[in-house]
Amino acid sequence: MADLVWTSRGRTRRSTRTVRVAVSWTITAAVALAVLLVPPLVQLDQQAVDLSMKLRPPSAAHPFGTDDVGRDLLLRCVHGLRVSLLVGLVAALVATVIGTAVGAAAAAFGGWTDRLLMRLVDTFSSVPHLLLGIFVVALFRPGVWPVIVSVAVTHWLSTARIVRAEVLSLRSRPYIDAAVSGGASRWRVAVRHLLPGVLPQAGLAAVLMVPHAMWHESALSFLGLGLPTHQASLGNLIQSARGSLLAGDWWPTLFPGLFLIVPTLAVAGLAGAWRERINPRRRSELML
C-alpha cells in the first residue's frame, strides 16, 4: 500500500513538473517571438507622439492602450523588454564568467589565493547590490553599457561561491587524484577536469541571473539612474506611469510590470527543471 502511495505521489510530481516546464517553455517562446517579430511587423513608431490618443484604455487598435503622450503601449513594452533582456543576458554572461574564474581559481589553487579571493568576495558582499550599482552608474553617462557594467559587477559573487564549493567537492573525487598521480599539471587538471564539472552549476546560475539583472536594471531606471528617460525600458515605462496610476489609469503600469514578472516566472520554471536534471538526489526523489 505504501509503495502505491509513493508511486502515485511520484507520478503526480512528474506530471506537475512536466506541466510547469511546458508552460515555461511556452512563455519563453512567446517572449522570444514578441521580441523578434513584433517591432518589424508592427508598422508604428514607438516614439511617435499623438496627444489626441493620450491615455486611451486597451482596445482593438491598441491592445495595451496608450501612454501619457499617446504612444502605443504594446510596442513600447516590447521595445522595453528587448532592452531589458539585452542588459540581463549580457550582464549575466559577464558576471558568470567573472564568478566562475574567481571561484575556480580560489578552489583550485587554495592557500593564500583562496583567502585573498574570498576576502574580495566578502568585501563586495558587504555592500548592498543596489547601492554599489548606483555608485557604478554614477561614474558614467546614462546608457546601456554603464548599466550592464553595474549589474555585472554586483552579481558575480554568488556564482563565485557556488563554483568554489563545487570545485572543492570535485577535488576530492578519485579521478582527480588519479590525474594528479599520473603527472597532470595543476592547470591541466583545472581545465580538463574541474572546469567541465562546474559548467552545469555555472550555467544554472547564469540563467537565474538574467531576470535578476532585468529587475536590477529596472530599479536603476525607475530611480532615474539607469537608461536615458527617452529610451524604452521596462523600468522607464513603470517610472513614467506613476502619475497615470495615481489618476486611476492602471494599464501603463500593469503591462510593463507583467513584462517583468512573466519572464521571471518562466525562467524560474526552466531553472527548476535544470536543477533537477543536474542534481541526481533530487531526480531520484522525483522518480519515486
Side-chain angles (χ1 to χ4, degrees), residues 108-221:
F109 294 100
W112 67 267
T113 303
D114 186 17
R115 291 192 295 271
L116 176 63
L117 292 177
M118 287 301 100
R119 294 300 78 76
L120 178 65
V121 171
D122 293 339
T123 301
F124 274 89
S125 299
S126 64
V127 182
H129 283 182
L130 188 57
L131 182 61
L132 183 58
I134 291 174
F135 173 77
V136 172
V137 295
L139 300 176
F140 306 94
R141 298 181 62 182
V144 173
W145 288 108
V147 175
I148 290 175
V149 172
S150 169
V151 176
V153 165
T154 57
H155 285 71
W156 60 272
L157 308 171
S158 59
T159 303
R161 288 196 176 99
I162 292 171
V163 170
R164 176 180 178 271
E166 192 70 16
V167 172
L168 289 175
S169 174
L170 291 174
R171 284 178 57 184
S172 62
R173 303 291 176 85
Y175 68 89
I176 299 296
D177 294 335
V180 173
S181 301
S185 64
R186 183 175 295 182
W187 176 256
R188 181 178 178 84
V189 169
V191 173
R192 293 291 300 274
H193 300 289
L194 296 179
L195 187 59
V198 302
L199 285 181
Q201 293 288 351
L204 177 60
V207 170
L208 289 172
M209 205 181 302
V210 172
H212 193 179
M214 292 173 59
W215 282 87
H216 196 100
E217 176 275 321
S218 298
L220 290 173
S221 296

Side-chain angles (χ1 to χ4, degrees), residues 43-132:
Q43 300 299 316
L44 292 175
D45 182 4
Q46 57 110 3
Q47 296 284 13
V49 174
D50 184 1
L51 294 179
S52 65
M53 296 295 294
K54 175 182 176 180
L55 289 175
R56 295 295 178 91
S59 62
H62 302 282
F64 286 6
T66 60
D67 64 7
D68 57 348
V69 291
R71 294 173 295 193
D72 183 77
L73 199 56
L74 172 59
L75 199 56
R76 294 279 290 170
C77 286
V78 171
H79 277 275
L81 181 60
R82 295 178 77 178
V83 174
S84 297
L85 274 176
L86 171 65
V87 172
L89 290 170
V90 177
L93 178 61
V94 174
T96 301
V97 171
I98 296 173
T100 301
V102 172
F109 294 100
W112 67 267
T113 303
D114 186 17
R115 291 192 295 271
L116 176 63
L117 292 177
M118 287 301 100
R119 294 300 78 76
L120 178 65
V121 171
D122 293 339
T123 301
F124 274 89
S125 299
S126 64
V127 182
H129 283 182
L130 188 57
L131 182 61
L132 183 58

